[in-house]
Amino acid sequence: MCVQIHAAATPEMRKAMANAEVGDDVYGNDPTVKNTLAAYSQSLGKAGVRSG
């Protein structure tokens, strides 16, 4: 059984989406991916971890 819930975005959600910093992880400029990889590398004690 599959249940799908559809909810309309609230004004706060729309504002957050409009103001979100975005990029493309293929080109290495997605801030969310960069921050996640940096936190992961730090937790492992490594200098850097590559995605892909």
Side-chain angles (χ1 to χ4, degrees), residues 6-18:
H6 297 271
T10 65
E12 293 83 10
M13 293 166 101
R14 290 181 185 277
K15 183 177 179 182
M17 288 185 280

Side-chain angles (χ1 to χ4, degrees), residues 19-39:
N19 294 326
E21 187 179 351
V22 296
D24 189 326
D25 65 319
V26 173
Y27 295 112
N29 64 4
D30 184 315
T32 303
V33 172
K34 283 181 164 182
N35 292 339
T36 302
L37 290 175

